[in-house]
Amino acid sequence: MKGLLMKDSLVLIKQLKIFLIIIPVIALIGNASMASIAILIGASLPMTAMAYDEQSKWENLARMMPYSKEDLILCKYILGYLGMLGTTLIYIIIQGLITIFTNGNFENILYPVSFAVTCGLLFIAINTPLLFRYGTQKGRYLLILYIGLSTGLGTFIKGAAPDISIYISFITPTVVIIAAIILNIVSIFISLRFKKK
């Protein structure tokens, strides 16, 4: 598993360098929509890695190596979670520093981050099985659609219904994220089923 993650990290090294530039810029804007975009970029790393795998015919080589189908699948999920973790930490650190210097309220960071993490988990849970089933080309269209819907929903809730956004900011860390985690567990089993076909 460690070897697979290292392989994907080396393949994505150029993208990771770009992320270190893009994510801080996005974090400086600091609203729910931008947080969603930042964290979804991290969540989309498995799709990029799988695109490289398809181009290089990695699957043919992987069959001759001591990796199980479970390892190959779990590696992509873990890569997505690590990407989300990295972008989330960058966002929180930058927004935290801005909050300190502007004497702002740290609770204002909770809503965009919790909403974005939930969107990222849902994206991984929904998109990853489809990538294994249909490939990365169709997955790219799903990424664009999902980012548009999630950022649009976040903007609508924050602007048009502030009372609802306050309520969601409290329920997301407890109920919705737990539901998203459960959905990810189900998603892994679905991916295993697709991979075996």
Side-chain angles (χ1 to χ4, degrees), residues 27-43:
L28 287 172
I29 300 175
N31 57 38
S33 298
M34 293 298 103
S36 296
I37 290 174
I39 293 175
L40 283 173
I41 287 175

Side-chain angles (χ1 to χ4, degrees), residues 12 15-16 19 40-50 79-80 82-83:
L12 297 172
Q15 282 75 16
L16 294 175
F19 287 174
L40 283 173
I41 287 175
S44 68
L45 285 179
M47 183 170 64
T48 305
M50 290 175 70
L79 182 65
L82 291 176

Side-chain angles (χ1 to χ4, degrees), residues 6 26 36 47 58 61 80 90 97 99 116 126 134 138 141-144 152 164 166 168-169 176-177 183 194 196-197:
M6 186 176 296
I26 293 175
S36 296
M47 183 170 64
W58 160 253
L61 180 61
I90 293 173
L97 291 174
T99 301
I126 295 169
Y134 299 107
K138 293 181 180 179
Y141 296 116
L142 181 61
L143 172 64
I144 295 171
I164 295 177
I166 292 173
I168 290 177
S169 70
V176 181
I177 289 183
L183 185 60
F194 285 157
K196 290 178 181 180
K197 289 185 177 182

Side-chain angles (χ1 to χ4, degrees), residues 48-106:
T48 305
M50 290 175 70
Y52 281 112
D53 288 348
E54 289 179 3
Q55 293 174 7
S56 63
K57 308 298 182 184
W58 160 253
E59 287 289 331
N60 296 331
L61 180 61
R63 292 191 185 99
M64 297 182 290
M65 303 183 74
Y67 295 121
S68 66
K69 291 181 179 180
E70 289 78 8
D71 290 336
L72 296 172
I73 288 174
L74 288 175
C75 173
K76 299 309 182 197
Y77 280 91
I78 293 173
L79 182 65
Y81 301 145
L82 291 176
M84 279 184 53
L85 177 62
T87 51
T88 301
L89 289 177
I90 293 173
Y91 185 91
I92 290 175
I93 290 171
I94 292 177
Q95 280 295 302
L97 291 174
I98 291 174
T99 301
I100 291 173
F101 288 116
T102 59
N103 294 320
N105 189 346
F106 281 98

Side-chain angles (χ1 to χ4, degrees), residues 84 111 113-123 125 146 153 157 164-165 167-184:
M84 279 184 53
Y111 167 74
V113 170
S114 60
F115 178 81
V117 168
T118 303
C119 288
L121 288 173
L122 291 175
F123 176 77
Y146 192 85
L153 180 62
I157 292 175
I164 295 177
S165 69
Y167 176 72
I168 290 177
S169 70
F170 286 101
I171 194 172
T172 297
T174 54
V175 177
V176 181
I177 289 183
I178 291 175
I181 291 172
I182 294 173
L183 185 60
N184 270 261

